[in-house]
Amino acid sequence: MTDRHALPAGFRWGVSTAAYQIEGAVEEDGRGRSVWDAFCERPGAVKNGESGRLACDHFHRWGEDVELMRGLGLDGYRFSIAWPRVRPAGRGPVNGAGLDFYDRLVDGLLAAGITPLPTLFHWDLPQALEEEGGWLQRDTAHRFGEFAAAAADRLGDRLPAWITLNEPFVHMVYGYALGIHAPGRALMLDALPAAHHQLLGHGLAAAELRARGLDVLIANNLTPVRAASEAPEDVAAAEAYDALHNRLFTDPLLLGRYPDLGAYGVGPDLCGSVREGDLELIAGPGLDGLGVNYYNPTRIAAPTDPGLPFAEAPVEGVPRTHFGWPVVPAGLHELLLTLRDRYGHALPPITVTENGCSTDDTLDDAFRIDYLAGHLDALARAAADGIDVRGYYTWSLLDNFEWAEGYSQRFGLVHVDFETQRRTPKASYAWYRDLIAAQRAAAATR
Ligand code: FCB
């Protein structure tokens, strides 16, 4: 990364994780069951029958992990608070012992000079709420607001900014439409109420956070959508896909309305789930920041099967991660410019809340270094183009439980031996540490 592409002074450097992917200790200190505990027990649901039961044992080893973060010289750490630790049954009494864990973690981070950035929902819904319908039920949004209030009452004195949801698109599609993530429902378009109820939950949680003087962000998985050709059918299919993946989760937040889902045969009430006042609540007084999780662009062609108005086409001629995801750093620049063109003054400051890759090498992860350098260049170009970018949280600190892929996809700056729980920094760890130091020094002299 060249100084020409330097990021602005005050830019925050971080790493990102999520509770179920690293904590383990699923039965400790009164934690309730989550949809992921249940999903992992389903034969064939997760590769090799693996689960987050132990994961990185971060619940016990968080002190060592904070030291690893201190070694990186981070400004910020994005993690998630497990709802089933705080309200084991999703409703009812708050489990103080569950909050004690985050209390210790937050104090440890602050002592290391790192600002914690919590996410309230990173896919681990209490199983008791799933049994009442999960995010298909409107009531879950209200329970989420209550959970946000309980967490903020305990930790809000030390945490200035909060992320409500992580990737409601991925949770809706993988969890409710296709059934390849928890809770494992394959409802196709009947999953759409799970989009609205998550966003309503965001609105209710945001109101609780704002009432306590806290900043509110949301982390969305966004992708620049490219039509496979200029043929009108491909262009129309790309627009339909863009509406589902990007606009469905950003338009209501920033514009106070849902995009046109006519291509799906769905009206503006999202299968009957939208009620009067909901959109005002979702948009609220505006976000303090938009978290962007960027991994790759998406190429879309005209549908080949009836049922959906698009078909995914491969992105060709680029390297691929171990997961098979195409590596297109320029897509991040393209995405941020599209957001600015689309939302103008309604676009809040951007923080990249996830970006990273899985690799199959162990410690000498030159592929990851190239990946991160390329994306940071793209981000710096977006900043030079006038986009207000405030931070970058790479995914992830540690190799961890990668959902349906089990432990087969390693995204960490730090290698984890899952037999011994030994942590070993990879080459990318030293690279990221040096980059942060150099960027900070350069910013100080500008
Ligand atoms: C994102 C998820 C995160 C992680 C990365 C690789 O979609 O938010 O938990 O699994 O992908």
Side-chain angles (χ1 to χ4, degrees):
M1 190 157 92
T2 60
D3 194 43
R4 186 167 59 91
H5 288 158
L7 286 148
F11 188 82
R12 304 191 69 74
W13 297 95
V15 295
S16 204
T17 67
Y20 191 73
Q21 295 180 275
I22 63 167
E23 285 179 0
V26 294
E27 280 162 9
E28 249 166 280
D29 289 349
R31 178 185 178 279
R33 256 164 88 76
S34 82
V35 292
W36 272 96
D37 297 297
F39 186 70
C40 291
E41 288 168 7
R42 277 199 201 178
V46 175
K47 203 173 241 177
N48 305 320
E50 288 164 344
S51 77
R53 259 192 99 69
L54 181 59
C56 305
D57 196 27
H58 171 78
F59 187 82
H60 298 112
R61 296 170 193 262
W62 62 269
E64 184 182 349
D65 296 337
V66 170
E67 280 313 303
L68 285 163
M69 289 187 249
R70 190 208 295 269
L72 282 167
L74 299 182
D75 297 297
Y77 172 50
R78 174 178 176 233
F79 65 103
S80 80
I81 298 176
W83 185 347
R85 285 199 196 283
V86 177
R87 275 211 160 88
R91 60 171 81 239
V94 171
N95 174 33
L99 277 166
D100 288 347
F101 168 66
Y102 298 105
D103 211 65
R104 293 193 288 277
L105 174 65
V106 162
D107 285 346
L109 288 161
L110 292 173
I114 299 166
T115 304
L117 176 60
T119 300
L120 283 163
F121 183 68
H122 203 125
W123 305 349
D124 47 358
L125 189 78
Q127 176 65 15
L129 292 184
E130 169 57 20
E131 280 155 23
E132 295 170 20
W135 286 110
L136 298 169
Q137 282 299 331
R138 191 177 169 89
D139 187 59
T140 297
H142 290 278
R143 303 291 79 79
F144 183 61
E146 292 167 6
F147 159 51
D153 279 343
R154 180 70 179 272
L155 303 167
D157 57 336
R158 283 154 289 159
L159 305 183
W162 294 59
I163 295 172
T164 55
L165 305 174
N166 177 68
E167 299 191 350
F169 168 78
V170 176
H171 190 54
M172 174 192 79
V173 171
Y174 283 20
Y176 288 87
L178 303 176
I180 54 181
H181 275 187
R185 302 204 193 200
L187 299 171
M188 296 307 286
L189 288 175
D190 290 337
L192 280 167
H196 181 63
H197 296 144
Q198 284 184 86
L199 287 166
L200 185 62
H202 158 85
L204 291 160
E208 297 288 355
L209 296 168
R210 284 192 195 103
R212 289 162 178 78
L214 304 169
D215 279 358
V216 178
L217 294 86
I218 185 169
N220 280 346
N221 179 299
L222 298 175
T223 183
V225 180
R226 298 165 173 181
S229 80
E230 284 168 19
E233 310 79 64
D234 286 346
V235 172
E239 277 170 17
Y241 186 79
D242 189 35
L244 186 72
H245 190 131
N246 296 313
R247 304 193 83 126
L248 179 59
F249 296 90
T250 322
D251 284 12
L253 292 163
L254 302 184
L255 305 177
R257 57 169 187 264
Y258 277 115
D260 180 0
L261 293 178
Y264 298 84
V266 169
D269 68 346
L270 252 57
C271 308
S273 54
V274 182
R275 296 196 190 156
E276 212 181 312
D278 286 1
L279 283 157
E280 289 74 9
L281 193 72
I282 290 169
L287 290 167
D288 298 294
L290 180 64
V292 171
N293 293 1
Y294 172 72
Y295 288 95
N296 51 255
T298 309
R299 199 159 153 259
I300 294 292
T304 44
D305 288 328
L308 284 178
F310 64 83
E312 215 170 320
V315 176
E316 275 149 1
V318 298
R320 286 180 177 265
T321 71
H322 183 51
F323 219 137
W325 298 353
V327 179
V328 187
L332 177 58
H333 179 256
E334 178 185 334
L335 171 66
L336 297 183
L337 263 53
T338 302
L339 287 173
R340 179 177 63 185
D341 293 348
R342 188 169 285 175
Y343 299 109
H345 292 302
L347 184 67
I350 302 285
T351 293
V352 175
T353 35
E354 284 182 31
N355 173 247
C357 63
S358 66
T359 56
D360 60 355
D361 43 24
T362 47
L363 299 180
D364 186 12
D365 55 345
F367 189 94
R368 175 168 294 101
I369 294 174
D370 279 355
Y371 181 100
L372 299 179
H375 286 80
L376 283 165
D377 267 336
L379 187 63
R381 276 198 292 129
D385 288 340
I387 310 268
D388 185 356
V389 290
R390 301 279 174 95
Y392 176 86
Y393 292 70
T394 194
W395 185 273
S396 186
L397 175 67
L398 305 168
D399 292 340
N400 61 45
F401 175 74
E402 178 49 37
W403 310 115
E405 293 294 311
Y407 294 93
S408 66
Q409 300 298 336
R410 293 179 173 271
F411 278 87
L413 300 176
V414 175
H415 177 268
V416 177
D417 177 333
F418 292 108
E419 297 291 313
T420 62
Q421 290 296 336
R422 191 181 144 87
R423 276 93 161 121
T424 311
K426 304 180 189 177
S428 58
Y429 175 96
W431 176 86
Y432 195 46
R433 175 197 64 207
D434 294 349
L435 174 103
I436 294 171
Q439 284 278 321
R440 212 174 266 141
T445 59
R446 270 199 297 274

